[in-house]
Amino acid sequence: MGRYVARRLLQAVLVLWAAYTLSFAVLYLLPGDPVEIMAAGGGEVTEVTEEQLDAVRAEYGLDAPLAEQYLDRLGAALTGDLGTSVQTGERVSAMVAEQLPATLQLTCAGGALALLLGSAVALAGAHTRRPWLRQLLLSLPSVGASAPTFWVGLLLIQLVSFRWGLLPAIGDQGWRSLVLPALTLALPTSAVLAQVFAKSLRDALREPYVETALAKGASRARVTLRHAARNASLPAFTVFGVLVGNLLAGSVVVETVFSRTGVGRITATSVTVQDIPVVQGLVMLGAVAFVLANLLVDLVYPLLDPRVTTGGAVAR
Amino acid sequence: MRFSLSPSSPASSPSLFPTARRRPAVPAALLCGVLLVSGCSSAASSSGSGQGGGEPVSGGELTFALASAPTCADPQQAGTNDTIYPARQLVDSLTDQDPETGEIVPWLAESWEVNEDATVYTFTLREGVTFSDGAPVDAEALRRNLDGIQELGPRAPLALSYLTGYQSTEVLDELTAEVTFERPNAQFLQATSTPALGLLSPATLEDDPADRCVTVVGSGPFTLEEYRLNSFVRQVRREDYAWGSSLWDEPEGPARLDRLTFEVIPESGVRTGGLSSQQVDAIGGVAPQDEATLEASGLTLERRANPGLPFSLFPQLERPIPADPRVRQAVSLAIDRQEVVDTVLSESYRPATSSLASTTDLYADQSDLLAHDPAAAEALLEEAGWEEGPDGIRERDGQPLHLDIVWGANFGPNQPSLELIQQQLREVGIDVTLRTVTIAEYNAVREEGDYDYAWSNTTRTDPDILRAAFSAELANLSRVDDPDLEALLNEQNASVDPEVRGPLVERLQRELLEKGYLVPVFELTTVLGLDGDVHDLDFEASSRLQFHDTWRG
């Protein structure tokens, strides 16, 4: 178990380092210069000299050789210093800290809703005896997974907010403004969850212990919920990490469509203006969330199913 | 040398890419999620004088929805129009400019004098004006503001441009200051009316530039309550305000609204719906296709063409095909500007009628040079040796007549406009490829010079924008190498007297078209949507907004 944990931790660190390096490479390979973009201002042709630009580049350390920049930034990042935004001059860590609560609220609500929706659809699909209903329920996830998030969001806004006036379409004040964005965010995620869960439920219901339970007189509902669902939820648990990634990526679109603040919004704006320190900070945030989620899965899984650690060792 | 793809347009719909919804390996999926989302933010620019509608009342609140997030609360560091709208309300300027006549009128400066060659400006400030932290608005504060802009450097791109050649400011007495430039700088007078040169409290000037984006103190009719990045800007009126611009209804009194809130709503459909469902009171960046819907539901539309350079094609004169003046003329003759406006835009928009938009100071109508005449275009191409090829594309020495046009999505209707222009050029035998780039890439592509024409616009009220755009020492958008033009560009910036400057600017507008240094197509127009009870939301001369006189009722 000790070695298993150590290996997982090491992998997590490697993934973080790879994410940092890859994002650094991609951002620096892009054409364009964040300082020029800042100096281009708004709608006017401006007269800023090359010397004035160089001064700002030097201030941000953007004039040093690439390798040096990479090492400097990596070193600083290790101590928790993610640099300052080229556009606003604000510290990246402060920016992220300020925006994170709103995104956490949204992704947690979206995640909970996705869990609820996804398992409800899968359970109902497994439980029903009407073939047409089962077919309908089990094809819902494919629809949910393929509907573009921004389209779903706009549709909900049009109907629920603009036409019926039930909920606000804009902003992030109060729980009422959270309903539509959380639902929009939950739909594609719940679809993934429902697909995985439905499949493992189907497999579990074919297991001999199900027949035994039925033969002993347990009701179908009891067998589905207590026996099969418990075993079938294990595979679904493994996609937890993927879902966290999904929710974070989805927040970029959802926050923009619903005019909410949050990490997703600053991602969209800072990518547009190539604000390298901010984008890198966000990539790291995403990577950390992803790694933590997967680490959690890896560490909890053996507790749920002891075969995992030993099996893993053998498979190598 | 600076080009800017102005993210300064109304109705630019941020493009939402469906996020990569597949998940391959672990962090790669995330990374892609982050990197793919390059949208285009845009700022709306606007102007609008309100309707009447009874006696103005004091009090009440107004929520205005912006299309893109203000990047900073400090007007001196503002770049995009959506940053300027809220920032404008916090500061006063030395002068104001009449949007109707272009005349520069007193505001913080009671009077001013400019020497013969526009190198020395002497301002006399009005008495009794204070910043909202109590500090006096005096000659020393003016000096510190202008000096401070030099220190801000490229963080204050607009203000810095207005102060090109700035030498010093001398405090003559408590309320009189003399600003000196190394060389003639006639555009400075108009620049003093812009928010970029609005005056900030000396205490604010001491602060770190980044901190000034969040807390900033001016002498304007509103004070900053809270600025939250990507979310909102909240402002409250200053009760003892009594030194408004001479252009306002009640310059001696405070603003009429108690509170002013700017929200950011990136999606144009959500802005429109938010206005119709009264979740906000006014919106910027109304898309042309939404105008009819809004008007049909009883909302008010306010519109004003942005001064400056219209949306235009700028040739890359170092490339062989656009280097030929006959080809450049043919391109202009082949474009049917009216059709672009009628098909892709709305009645709010005007086809370009000169090198400058019609709301620019010293604009002169040159529409005779911007006629649509495909036959003449074809004749010119024939003359230049471009013969009709088998597939309708002209050829010369086996080379097809092909133009590569590069553009950025800073304004929603750019794409349909350019696609129509592509068809129009095809009709005279010119083959066009449209290449879209992100705002981030745009500068790099222009610097590279690997294109035939580039598409952009620029907002500025002073005609000196022509020098900023075409001078070989400045942005030089078309890579012009033309000493005669250069001399003329500098000459017009050497006198503030419209009698002297007017004819020069008119000649410039004409010459630029005759030489084909730009092909203007239509004027960017700021279109606002207002709830029926919003009145007197005023456009400044730059088509940006002034809320002092605005009231509800």
Side-chain angles (χ1 to χ4, degrees), chain B residues 26-186:
Chain B
V26 179
L30 256 179
L31 190 62
C32 297
V34 171
L35 296 178
L36 270 181
V37 190
S38 83
C40 329
S41 48
S42 66
S45 62
S46 59
S47 73
S49 62
Q51 262 81 356
E55 273 300 294
V57 284
S58 181
E61 303 184 2
L62 184 132
T63 303
F64 187 97
L66 301 165
S68 69
T71 52
C72 183
D74 175 0
Q76 294 183 356
Q77 296 183 65
T80 67
N81 285 334
D82 278 343
T83 307
I84 293 173
Y85 296 163
R88 181 4 125 209
Q89 319 310 321
L90 305 176
V91 288
D92 299 323
S93 295
L94 288 174
T95 65
D96 199 5
Q97 186 175 21
D98 188 328
E100 302 299 321
T101 62
E103 193 193 345
I104 303 292
V105 298
W107 190 348
L108 287 182
E110 240 168 26
S111 64
W112 54 87
E113 270 169 42
V114 187
N115 71 344
E116 187 68 27
D117 65 349
T119 51
V120 181
Y121 292 72
T122 314
F123 294 96
T124 307
L125 301 176
R126 65 187 287 165
E127 233 184 316
V129 181
T130 54
F131 293 107
S132 60
D133 60 4
V137 176
D138 55 15
E140 175 61 17
L142 172 59
R143 184 187 68 77
R144 293 181 65 175
N145 270 275
L146 296 184
D147 287 355
I149 284 163
Q150 308 301 310
E151 283 163 38
L152 280 175
R155 286 193 185 79
L158 302 182
L160 194 65
S161 308
Y162 300 157
L163 289 175
T164 309
Y166 174 77
Q167 196 168 50
S168 64
T169 302
E170 213 179 314
V171 176
L172 300 184
D173 63 48
E174 198 197 335
L175 294 175
T176 316
E178 189 179 87
V179 183
T180 310
F181 291 91
E182 286 163 0
R183 49 179 184 276
N185 192 4

Side-chain angles (χ1 to χ4, degrees), chain B residues 56-60 237 239 254-258 551-552:
Chain B
V57 284
S58 181
R237 82 168 162 199
E239 298 298 340
R256 285 164 177 159
L257 293 168
D258 287 332
W551 56 281
R552 314 275 314 258

Side-chain angles (χ1 to χ4, degrees), chain A residues 80-118:
Chain A
D81 175 10
L82 295 170
T84 45
S85 157
V86 177
Q87 281 289 318
T88 64
E90 213 181 328
R91 298 208 66 77
V92 174
S93 41
M95 248 167 121
V96 171
E98 186 189 307
Q99 306 281 323
L100 197 56
T103 303
L104 277 180
Q105 205 179 33
L106 174 67
T107 45
C108 288
L113 210 55
L115 201 65
L116 215 66
L117 280 174

Side-chain angles (χ1 to χ4, degrees), chain A residues 47, chain B residues 116-119 121 164 183-187 462-474 482-496 500-501 504-505 507-508 511-512:
Chain A
E47 304 170 19
Chain B
E116 187 68 27
D117 65 349
T119 51
Y121 292 72
T164 309
R183 49 179 184 276
N185 192 4
Q187 57 86 29
D462 194 272
D464 188 56
I465 186 61
L466 293 176
R467 190 178 59 91
F470 291 100
S471 164
E473 286 163 25
L474 302 171
D482 186 338
D484 295 346
L485 184 82
E486 191 70 34
L488 198 53
L489 287 169
N490 286 320
E491 212 181 325
Q492 62 78 30
N493 197 28
S495 170
V496 286
V500 179
R501 213 179 169 205
L504 294 170
V505 172
R507 225 178 93 199
L508 264 174
E511 229 169 79
L512 285 165

Side-chain angles (χ1 to χ4, degrees), chain A residues 22 36 39-40 42-47 52-53 59 89 149 161-162 169-170 242 252 259 261 265-266 271-272 274 286 290, chain B residues 2 4 6 21 23 26 30 37 39 79 154-155 157 161-162 164 210 230-231 264-265 273-274 277 279 440 458-460 475:
Chain A
L22 198 61
E36 289 222 356
E44 306 196 19
V45 179
T46 54
E47 304 170 19
Q52 289 165 326
L53 288 181
E59 201 175 310
T149 309
S161 182
F162 296 159
I170 301 152
V242 176
V252 175
S259 317
T261 46
R265 270 292 281 295
I266 50 174
V271 167
T272 315
Q274 220 174 316
F290 207 97
Chain B
R2 207 108 321 282
S4 79
S6 44
R21 177 153 310 295
R23 31 223 123 62
V26 179
L30 256 179
V37 190
R155 286 193 185 79
S161 308
Y162 300 157
T164 309
N230 273 336
S231 182
V264 183
I265 305 183
S277 60
Q279 298 183 42
T458 289
T459 297
R460 174 85 205 262

